[in-house]
Every structure is written in structure tokens, then in C-alpha cells.
Amino acid sequence: MKNIIMVLALVITLTSCQGQDKKKETKATEIATSKQKGKFEVTKTDAEWKAQLTPHQYEVLREKATERPFTGEYDDFFEKGTYVCAACGNPLFKSDTKFNSHCGWPSFDQAIKGSVVYNHDVSFGMDRTEVMCAKCGGHLGHVFDDGPKQTTGERYCTNSVSIKFIPTAKKD
């Protein structure tokens, strides 16, 4: 009985964090860019990516996997700084756009302008907008329209393993 309750709780959590309202399609309209067709500034062979990234990073960034919720390094992390792509170092998110969405992945209400590109994703029977690094095409996560209404209303649900935190330099 305990296992059934735990499985149901996990399904409810994943469902609430992965759902997207189809009414808002602003990101989907930005999808058709030349960068989506493999013309990224940083391109490497699979062997080069595998040599550079950890197996988990490779699985998420290059094969579009998703890390388990509530397991990522940056889920409950709120220091001042910038989050960059773990594959190429492209600045993606500022820490002041990060918020606690309680969904198990780091969440931001906006990306740094021009740092990401979008892809219409219908995998696993869901209709979502994938977010990728604009410099190397690495899979970061998905963007949903259930973020803070007082800011952008968006939630960039991001895999911790796909980003790296660079702290703001402390002034003496």
C-alpha cells in the first residue's frame, strides 16, 4: 500500500510539472529558426561530446533525457550569479529570474535574450515547447506558461545537469 501511494504521489508531481496549456503558443511561433536545423555555433561529433560531458550530461544535453525530479544540484539553490550551458558555457539564465516552483527542477521565469532556441516537442504524447541552448543546441528542458503571473508567466523547467552556476564576483 505504501508503494502504491508513493507511485501515485510521483505521478501527480510529474503530471503537474509537465503539463502545458495549449492556449499560449508564443514560444511555439518562435520555433522555426535556422539554428534548429543543426547550424549551431558550437558543433561537435558524438565522440567529442561524450569525451567532454559526463554520461548523465550527455544523456540529457545530447539525447534529450530528463533527470529525475528533486535530484538535481540546482533544484533548491538560490545563490547570486549566472547559469550557463554545461556543454558550451553560453550564459542562459540570471539568478534573479530563478524561483521555487516546487516541481523538482530548477525554474526560471525568463532566459537571457538570444541565449535559447525553442523546438515543438510532441514526444511521450505531450505537446510541449523544448528549450535548447542557442550556441550548441543542447537540451535544457521545457518552457511552460504556469510561471509567476507577476513577472512573465513562464516557467523554464530546466535540468540541473544541463547547466552550470557561475557565482557573482564578491566585492571587497
Side-chain angles (χ1 to χ4, degrees):
M1 185 65 164
K2 198 181 241 185
N3 287 340
I4 292 172
I5 292 171
M6 288 178 63
V7 169
L8 286 174
L10 180 62
V11 169
I12 290 168
T13 300
L14 289 175
T15 304
S16 68
C17 290
Q18 296 295 325
Q20 179 170 333
D21 188 344
K22 291 182 184 179
K23 289 185 275 183
K24 186 173 181 184
E25 296 186 17
T26 57
K27 294 298 179 204
T29 61
E30 300 173 24
I31 288 170
T33 67
S34 63
K35 290 181 179 182
Q36 317 273 205
K37 298 178 178 71
K39 297 179 180 165
F40 293 98
E41 182 182 334
V42 175
T43 56
K44 297 183 181 191
T45 66
D46 280 341
E48 290 171 320
W49 284 122
K50 284 181 180 179
Q52 175 187 331
L53 303 171
T54 68
H56 195 207
Q57 286 175 320
Y58 181 84
E59 184 180 33
V60 172
L61 284 158
R62 308 316 306 171
E63 295 180 334
K64 303 179 186 289
T66 301
E67 67 189 1
R68 290 187 339 261
F70 304 102
T71 62
E73 177 179 6
Y74 301 120
D75 175 38
D76 193 26
F77 180 88
F78 293 95
E79 301 293 324
K80 298 282 186 206
T82 303
Y83 294 84
V84 301
C85 176
C88 71
N90 183 31
L92 302 167
F93 304 103
K94 295 287 188 182
S95 61
D96 60 356
T97 66
K98 190 172 189 296
F99 66 98
N100 192 349
S101 66
H102 306 285
C103 76
W105 292 276
S107 296
F108 304 87
D109 67 5
Q110 63 184 309
I112 295 172
K113 188 172 175 74
S115 67
V116 299
V117 291
Y118 306 94
N119 184 38
H120 187 207
D121 177 8
V122 292
S123 62
F124 305 110
M126 293 183 266
D127 190 359
R128 306 176 291 179
T129 302
E130 176 189 12
V131 179
M132 299 179 300
C133 174
K135 192 171 180 181
C136 72
H139 172 76
L140 304 171
H142 293 87
V143 63
F144 302 100
D145 62 358
D146 60 358
K149 298 297 180 208
Q150 63 273 26
T151 59
T152 65
E154 296 180 328
R155 175 174 55 97
Y156 286 78
C157 188
T158 309
N159 291 285
S160 283
V161 74
S162 68
I163 55 178
K164 186 168 72 171
F165 179 73
I166 308 296
T168 300
K170 294 186 180 180
K171 297 177 182 172
D172 294 329

